[in-house]
Amino acid sequence: MTSFSAPGSPVDTVLLTSPAGAGRTEAIRIFEDLGYLCLNHVWPELVPTFLKHYAPIAPRLVLCLASRPEVDAQAGLIAARVALRSLARTAVHVHLDCPEGVLLSRYALTRRPHPWFDHGEGLLAAIRAERTALEPVRALADEVVDTGPLDPAQLRVHLGALVGGRPPALPVTVMSFGFKRGVPADAQFVLDIRFLPNPYYESALKPLTGLDSGVAEYVFASEQSQATYRSLFEFLRFLLHQYRQDRRSQLLIAIGCTGGQHRSVAFVERLSGDLSAEGFACRPSHRDLAVNRLQELSR
C-alpha cells in the first residue's frame, strides 16, 4: 500500500470510495468497530468543510465519498487529498470493488434501487455506468480491495491490516446482585454463588458488605470458596479471550448471592481486579448495594 501520507504512520483518516453494492456498508461497520467515526455519502467537494468540523474531535475518521451521476468524484477526491495534507492527517484512500456479476447478484438479493439507474435502462447498465465513472477514482486509490471473494470476517481482517487498527478494548461489567430482587435482564452470563458460606449469619459481619476486608476474608476462607473462585476465574478468562476475538461490543457478567451484599460483592471485586490485571477492561458494579444500605439505615 502506498499512502499519500507519511509512510509508517498510524492511519487516522480513511477516504473510502466504492461502487454501490461493493461492501461499503459492511466496511463502515468494521471501521466503527475499530474506533473510527464514519461519515457516509459525503459530497467530495464538501470534504474540506467536514474535516474542519470533525478533525479536531475525531482522532480516527472515515469519509465515505458519495458516488452519484451528478458528482465529479475525481475532482472532489483530489481536493480532499489536498485538504488532508494541509491538516497533517495520516490518511489512506481505500477503494472497494468487485466483479459486475457479484454486484448483480447482490442487488438481486437486496432488491434496492441502484443510485445510477436511469430511464429504465436496466441494472447492468447502471452498474457499468457507475464503474466507468469511478475508474479515475479507482486509479488514485492507495489500496483496491476486491470484496467479491471475501466474507465479512475476511473483510474485517483485511481492512484492519490496512489501517493497522486495533479494536477498542471489550468493555466488561462484572456485577453483583441479589436473587431476591431478580436477575439482571441484560446479563450475558449469570452465576449463582448462594451455595457458599454466608456472612449474613455472623452478627459482626451482617451490617457490613463485601467491600469490607473482614467480609472478604470470611467469604474466601473456605476451600469451597477458593475452589469456586479459581474455576470461575479460569472460565471467565477463557471466555473473554474468545469474545475479544469475536469483536463483541460489550459484556455483562452477573454474579448473584441471596441479597447482593456480601458474597457476590466480594467475588465481583476480586474478579474484576484479577481480570483487569490480565488486560481486560473490567469494571465492578454492585446493583443492590445502595438499596441494602438504605434499608439498614431506615431500620
Side-chain angles (χ1 to χ4, degrees):
M1 178 177 65
T2 306
S3 173
F4 61 86
S5 296
S9 302
V11 173
D12 56 33
T13 306
V14 177
L15 291 179
L16 185 64
T17 57
S18 74
R24 182 173 60 240
T25 300
E26 186 63 37
I28 288 173
R29 292 194 188 101
I30 292 167
F31 283 123
E32 286 178 339
D33 289 347
L34 291 171
Y36 285 83
L37 171 65
C38 296
L39 305 177
N40 199 4
H41 300 297
V42 176
W43 243 241
E45 60 267 27
L46 294 179
V47 166
T49 302
F50 276 88
L51 287 172
K52 177 182 177 181
H53 291 287
Y54 284 96
I57 61 172
R60 294 179 175 182
L61 184 62
V62 174
L63 298 173
C64 308
L65 303 190
S67 170
R68 307 285 296 191
E70 62 270 25
V71 173
D72 186 344
Q74 183 181 16
L77 179 62
I78 293 172
R81 294 163 76 103
V82 171
L84 285 166
R85 284 198 186 97
S86 69
L87 290 171
R89 300 282 290 192
T90 305
V92 64
H93 173 200
V94 178
H95 184 80
L96 307 179
D97 206 353
C98 60
E100 63 181 32
V102 176
L103 294 175
L104 278 169
S105 63
R106 288 177 180 175
Y107 264 94
L109 289 173
T110 63
R111 300 182 180 181
R112 298 193 64 194
H114 193 283
W116 285 63
F117 193 91
D118 188 29
H119 303 303
E121 294 180 4
L123 178 58
L124 183 57
I127 288 172
R128 288 175 175 172
E130 182 182 28
R131 297 186 76 201
T132 299
L134 287 176
E135 275 302 318
V137 172
R138 188 182 194 275
L140 289 170
D142 300 304
E143 186 76 16
V144 177
V145 180
D146 181 0
T147 64
L150 302 178
D151 62 28
Q154 292 169 326
L155 182 61
R156 180 182 296 275
V157 171
H158 194 86
L159 294 180
L162 286 181
V163 299
R166 294 184 178 181
L170 169 66
V172 180
T173 300
V174 189
M175 175 186 287
S176 68
F177 74 96
F179 275 94
K180 69 180 184 180
R181 293 190 177 88
V183 176
D186 53 343
Q188 281 76 38
F189 288 95
V190 177
L191 305 168
D192 183 353
I193 58 171
R194 285 177 291 182
F195 56 87
L196 298 178
N198 193 349
Y200 178 86
Y201 297 108
E202 299 292 327
S203 58
L205 301 178
K206 180 178 178 179
L208 303 179
T209 75
L211 299 176
D212 295 299
S213 59
V215 172
E217 290 171 4
Y218 180 93
V219 168
F220 292 110
S222 69
E223 178 55 35
Q224 183 187 23
S225 295
Q226 291 287 356
T228 300
Y229 181 83
R230 287 193 298 269
S231 298
L232 284 182
F233 176 74
E234 292 300 327
F235 171 68
L236 291 175
R237 181 169 63 174
F238 170 78
L239 281 183
L240 292 183
H241 275 296
Q242 308 311 309
Y243 284 132
R244 185 159 61 184
Q245 295 298 318
D246 193 41
R247 304 290 195 267
R248 295 295 178 99
S249 59
Q250 59 189 5
L251 193 65
L252 173 59
I253 301 166
I255 299 176
C257 59
T258 304
Q261 179 173 331
H262 298 105
R263 293 165 291 182
S264 62
V265 173
F267 261 68
V268 162
E269 285 294 311
R270 184 171 172 183
L271 277 170
S272 61
D274 289 348
L275 290 170
S276 294
E278 293 283 323
F280 299 105
C282 291
R283 127 186 130 79
S285 175
H286 305 294
R287 190 193 71 178
D288 298 331
L289 205 52
V291 177
N292 289 333
R293 284 174 171 169
L294 285 173
Q295 287 182 344
E296 284 295 324
L297 290 172
S298 64
R299 289 175 182 172

